[in-house]
């Protein structure tokens, strides 16, 4: 038997529609990881409950997120793909880890402080203990590598603390998880209006969604921010123009990119032409994902089977970890 593959665990938000930033920031890395590691990818539906989503929406959102991830290239045969709430062992580990988590440290977490500022009337216990549930998600599979963005690194630090505290108090069980990404490949996609990164909440018209129709894509790119063009040869590129080139490098041929780069450097670029070309190449990239995702969403039986099989595989690993945790803590009476 070969060397055991390292375990990667990652949560997928269950709200919102996936956009190009998610694709190139996370999903593309997942597709590489599924070839090299033992991956557990779950839809974080319990996490979403802190903001009280409408029950009618939750179900559709979970199916949509699964369909879009599978359509983008996640292979349910290669990864364990499941809904968090289908693995009750996570909830039990969360309970056990809460005993090792202290109110003071949880209140200091920047994301918690932000949420308190944004919604002072909704400071529920789930928000406060969010990092504990996130730790349970990872530690339940004894995950070693966690693909996280900068904003989540502190939560991961807390997962390491809880793992350490458990190991020191009860005996070794949990490896300490580390942040992991293919460093050479982290692409940050800016919003088409030049304000910050692409996001579902900031400005929908400046964000390209994997479910956008061809015409919507063309329209959004047509309206992307540009200027009157460079005034002198080899001028530095403003960030919103650089972003159009970033997008073009992701979906267009190297020749196309090269032609427009040369045109920018010799001041002959016509942004209208560049946007037209980018729009067609973007349509060619997004359309097959959108169509495949729609097909999967229509196939309820297929999605249910994927979720059931994923849950069964995830629970195999989770049950073993929990048995071990209970034994070490003395919660095994017969």
């Amino acid at each position: 038997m070969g060397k055991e593959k390292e375990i990667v665990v990652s949560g997928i938000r269950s709200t919102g529609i996936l956009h190009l930033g998610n694709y190139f920031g996370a999903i593309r890395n997942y597709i590489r990881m599924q070839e090299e590691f033992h991956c557990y990818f779950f839809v974080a539906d319990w996490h979403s409950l802190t903001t009280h989503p409408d029950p009618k929406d939750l179900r559709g959102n979970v199916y949509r997120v699964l369909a879009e991830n599978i359509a983008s290239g996640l292979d349910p045969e290669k990864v364990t793909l499941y809904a968090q709430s289908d693995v009750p062992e996570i909830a039990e580990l969360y309970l056990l880890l809460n005993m090792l988590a202290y109110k003071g440290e949880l209140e200091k977490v920047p994301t918690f402080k932000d949420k308190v500022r944004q919604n002072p009337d909704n400071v529920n216990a789930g928000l406060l203990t969010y990092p504990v549930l996130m730790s349970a998600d990872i530690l339940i599979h004894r995950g070693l590598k966690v693909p996280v963005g900068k904003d989540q690194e502190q939560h991961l630090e807390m997962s390491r603390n809880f793992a350490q505290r458990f190991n020191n108090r009860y005996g070794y069980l949990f490896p300490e998880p580390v942040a992991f990404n293919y460093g050479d490949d982290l692409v940050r996609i800016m919003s088409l209006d030049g304000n910050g990164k692409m996001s579902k909440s900031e400005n929908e018209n400046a964000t390209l969604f994997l479910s956008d129709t061809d015409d919507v894509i063309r329209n959004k790119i047509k309206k992307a921010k540009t200027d009157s063009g460079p005034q002198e040869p080899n001028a530095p590129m403003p960030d919103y123009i650089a972003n159009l080139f970033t997008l073009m490098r992701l979906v267009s041929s190297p020749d196309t990119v090269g032609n427009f780069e040369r045109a920018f450097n010799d001041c002959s670029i016509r942004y209208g032409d560049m946007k037209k070309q980018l729009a067609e190449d973007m349509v060619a990239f997004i359309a097959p994902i959108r169509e495949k995702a729609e097909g999967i969403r229509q196939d309820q039986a297929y999605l249910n089977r994927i979720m059931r099989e994923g849950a069964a595989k995830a629970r195999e690993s989770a049950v073993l970890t929990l048995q071990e945790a209970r034994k070490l803590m003395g919660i095994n009476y017969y």
Side-chain angles (χ1 to χ4, degrees):
M1 189 168 150
K3 188 164 131 323
E4 277 289 297
K5 286 184 172 181
E6 287 179 326
I7 293 174
V8 167
V9 183
S10 188
I12 300 165
R13 285 196 183 137
S14 63
T15 48
I17 302 169
L18 295 179
H19 56 69
L20 209 62
N22 303 131
Y23 180 88
F24 286 105
I27 301 172
R28 192 172 62 159
N29 281 340
Y30 289 170
I31 296 165
R32 262 181 83 178
M33 288 170 195
Q34 71 186 3
E35 304 300 331
E36 297 175 41
F37 301 103
H38 193 82
C39 296
Y40 292 92
F41 294 136
F42 64 92
V43 181
D45 53 346
W46 275 336
H47 281 293
S48 72
L49 299 179
T50 57
T51 55
H52 313 302
D54 186 320
K56 285 197 310 296
D57 299 338
L58 184 65
R59 197 170 161 190
N61 282 342
V62 168
Y63 286 134
R64 168 192 284 271
V65 165
L66 282 170
E68 289 186 337
N69 273 278
I70 295 168
S72 298
L74 264 201
D75 183 346
E77 301 297 314
K78 292 179 179 170
V79 303
T80 302
L81 197 56
Y82 58 100
Q84 185 185 27
S85 59
D86 276 341
V87 183
E89 291 76 14
I90 296 170
E92 188 171 340
L93 183 58
Y94 165 58
L95 173 78
L96 302 178
L97 293 176
N98 266 317
M99 311 308 175
L100 301 170
Y102 296 97
K103 175 173 166 278
E105 68 183 339
L106 294 171
E107 285 172 339
K108 281 203 205 74
V109 175
T111 40
F112 175 69
K113 290 201 246 187
D114 289 345
K115 294 280 193 290
V116 173
R117 262 199 307 277
Q118 290 159 7
N119 294 301
D121 301 331
N122 181 32
V123 185
N124 55 62
L127 269 182
L128 181 66
T129 58
Y130 195 95
V132 189
L133 181 54
M134 185 174 155
S135 302
D137 292 326
I138 298 163
L139 299 178
I140 197 73
H141 300 300
R142 298 180 237 188
L144 189 63
K145 288 186 152 81
V146 185
V148 288
K150 276 271 171 270
D151 56 334
Q152 296 283 329
E153 280 184 2
Q154 183 168 12
H155 290 169
L156 198 55
E157 182 64 39
M158 297 184 83
S159 305
R160 284 196 289 277
N161 291 344
F162 300 141
Q164 259 171 15
R165 281 175 208 168
F166 185 98
N167 294 343
N168 292 340
R169 181 161 302 191
Y170 299 113
Y172 182 80
L173 176 58
F174 300 116
E176 290 177 33
V178 293
F180 166 68
N181 272 304
Y182 297 109
D184 53 342
D185 253 11
L186 284 183
V187 180
R188 189 162 177 272
I189 300 202
M190 306 268 294
S191 159
L192 294 172
D193 58 11
N195 296 326
K197 65 176 191 177
M198 219 173 245
S199 116
K200 63 175 186 292
S201 49
E202 293 305 314
N203 179 357
E204 293 199 353
N205 294 324
T207 296
L208 293 167
F209 293 98
L210 298 183
S211 56
D212 281 346
T213 63
D214 296 354
D215 285 343
V216 167
I217 295 168
R218 290 185 183 107
N219 269 330
K220 285 181 178 178
I221 290 178
K222 194 170 158 187
K223 294 191 180 119
K225 181 177 174 180
T226 51
D227 51 29
S228 56
Q231 302 304 307
E232 52 198 58
N234 302 313
M237 224 176 249
D239 54 4
Y240 48 90
I241 299 295
N243 187 50
L244 291 179
F245 276 100
T246 297
L247 293 174
M248 197 166 232
R249 278 184 212 104
L250 297 172
V251 297
S252 306
S253 73
D255 287 354
T256 303
V257 179
N259 289 338
F260 284 107
E261 279 173 343
R262 277 191 295 280
F264 180 88
N265 288 330
D266 68 16
C267 302
S268 66
I269 191 161
R270 292 160 58 158
Y271 290 130
D273 295 347
M274 180 182 181
K275 289 201 237 180
K276 248 194 203 88
Q277 178 71 48
L278 176 59
E280 293 317 308
D281 292 342
M282 190 59 76
V283 162
F285 176 78
I286 288 179
I289 297 178
R290 178 187 69 233
E291 284 154 18
K292 194 169 176 196
E294 302 229 317
I296 294 170
R297 278 173 70 192
Q298 303 307 316
D299 191 347
Q300 200 63 58
Y302 169 76
L303 276 174
N304 289 348
R305 180 172 67 78
I306 294 295
M307 287 178 82
R308 263 199 294 275
E309 288 173 3
K313 281 197 286 188
R315 289 195 71 182
E316 271 174 40
S317 154
V319 165
L320 293 174
T321 302
L322 203 57
Q323 280 171 348
E324 207 49 41
R326 290 171 134 221
K327 197 161 86 201
L328 288 167
M329 294 175 84
I331 312 179
N332 57 333
Y333 307 125
Y334 40 82

